């Protein structure tokens, strides 16, 4: 939970810094702190049992509040602050939760949790490490090209992880025609566990790695 929350914070701070490009120390402090706060803002009401801030419906409101904050502190153009804040809160929180532990992104239209579930805890640690490295590059005053490289690395890792998951799921769906199927990441990248339920109540459990899978155990339907 702590590492997941810190990931939201550092992604928000990194994206804000990347988009706004602060030049002096005062701007850097305000942008980094604001980015970290916006990264965890959707979780604020969750602690009180409410899911409103996790909904994409309220992304414009969150964006507007932070745009007004940055305008008052740094005189950043309101429209620029609005679209950057909206994009940052979506990428740093809503998208990450969708790829990770799930999010009620269409609340209150539906309370169903949506998830792709491709980010294990080990990958969260990698993302944090890579972005911390990005901040070191930034504080070392290297060129913008170097600062954007960590983001490219993370996008590549996520793309490979998602491709592995979807490929194995497609193979399982094509061969087994499941009624339901769940796949969760192991703590090692590109490794998965799956649970397939057939229409006749047969349960098939197994593991996947890279682009293929193996069946570990099959539970036949109960005899009538």
């Amino acid at each position: 939970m702590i590492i997941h929350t810190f990931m939201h914070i550092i992604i928000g701070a990194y994206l804000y810094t990347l988009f706004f490009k602060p030049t002096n120390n005062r701007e850097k402090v305000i942008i980094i702190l604001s980015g970290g706060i916006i990264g965890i803002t959707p979780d604020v009401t969750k602690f009180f049992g409410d899911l409103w801030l996790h909904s994409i419906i309220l992304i414009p409101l969150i964006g507007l509040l932070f745009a007004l904050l940055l305008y008052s502190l740094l005189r950043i153009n309101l429209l620029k602050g609005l679209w950057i804040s909206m994009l940052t809160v979506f990428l740093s929180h809503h998208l990450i939760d969708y790829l990770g532990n799930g999010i009620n992104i269409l609340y209150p239209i539906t309370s169903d949790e949506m998830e792709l579930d491709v980010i294990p805890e080990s990958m969260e640690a990698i993302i944090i490490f890579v972005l911390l490295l990005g901040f070191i590059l930034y504080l070392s005053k290297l060129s913008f090209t170097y600062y954007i490289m960590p983001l490219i690395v993370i996008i590549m890792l996520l793309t490979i992880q998602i491709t592995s998951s979807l490929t194995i799921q497609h193979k399982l769906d094509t061969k087994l025609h499941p009624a339901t199927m769940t796949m969760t990441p192991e703590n090692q990248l590109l490794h998965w566990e799956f649970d397939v339920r057939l229409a006749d109540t047969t349960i098939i459990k197994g593991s996947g790695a890279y682009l293929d899978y193996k069946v570990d155990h099959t539970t036949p339907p109960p005899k009538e």
Side-chain angles (χ1 to χ4, degrees):
M1 181 65 180
I2 295 177
I3 190 171
H4 183 78
T5 300
F6 187 63
M7 181 174 61
H8 286 310
I9 293 173
I10 193 168
I11 292 175
Y14 182 88
L15 291 176
Y16 246 31
T17 307
L18 187 67
F19 292 142
F20 285 116
K21 302 183 183 67
T23 54
N24 57 58
N25 289 335
R26 179 174 180 270
E27 289 181 354
K28 289 176 183 178
V29 170
I30 292 174
I31 291 299
I32 290 174
L33 289 177
S34 299
I37 294 171
I38 200 174
I40 57 171
T41 295
D43 277 340
V44 172
T45 57
K46 190 175 180 180
F47 290 110
F48 302 98
D50 182 80
L51 300 172
W52 272 101
L53 289 184
H54 268 99
S55 172
I56 58 173
I57 296 173
L58 289 190
I59 287 179
L61 176 59
I62 298 173
L64 179 60
L65 291 175
F66 278 85
L68 290 170
L69 174 67
L70 294 179
Y71 175 77
S72 66
L73 294 176
L74 300 175
R75 287 296 182 265
I76 291 175
N77 178 275
L78 274 176
L79 185 58
K80 178 182 178 180
L82 176 61
W83 77 260
I84 287 179
S85 296
M86 289 173 59
L87 182 61
T88 298
V89 73
F90 174 75
L91 293 177
S92 66
H93 202 106
H94 295 75
L95 180 61
I96 291 297
D97 274 0
Y98 171 70
L99 296 176
N101 58 0
I103 185 171
N104 306 84
I105 202 165
L106 295 178
Y107 185 85
I109 298 173
T110 174
S111 295
D112 293 342
E113 192 171 72
M114 302 173 64
E115 62 179 349
L116 193 55
D117 203 3
V118 295
I119 302 181
E121 190 171 299
S122 59
M123 191 170 189
E124 292 181 350
I126 292 173
I127 290 173
I128 291 172
F129 173 79
V130 171
L131 292 184
L132 284 175
L133 179 61
F135 273 116
I136 293 174
L137 295 176
Y138 171 67
L139 295 174
S140 300
K141 299 183 179 179
L142 296 178
S143 71
F144 179 76
T145 303
Y146 289 99
Y147 188 59
I148 202 172
M149 284 178 60
L151 186 61
I152 295 174
V153 170
I154 291 171
I155 292 173
M156 290 176 61
L157 285 174
L158 285 172
T159 301
I160 294 171
Q161 187 82 346
I162 292 169
T163 300
S164 172
S165 174
L166 294 181
T167 300
I168 294 174
Q169 289 185 56
H170 176 70
K171 288 184 176 182
L172 289 168
D173 189 59
T174 301
K175 185 173 182 179
L176 302 176
H177 306 290
T180 63
M181 175 171 53
T182 58
M183 178 175 289
T184 56
E186 296 181 356
N187 214 29
Q188 182 180 356
L189 296 185
L190 303 177
H191 285 71
W192 315 87
E193 293 179 352
F194 63 82
D195 184 308
V196 169
R197 308 294 172 106
L198 306 185
D200 64 358
T201 70
T202 297
I203 301 173
I204 302 173
K205 295 187 177 184
S207 58
Y210 305 103
L211 298 176
D212 211 350
Y213 71 91
K214 65 176 182 178
V215 173
D216 296 328
H217 182 71
T218 301
T219 304
K223 296 180 180 180
E224 296 183 358

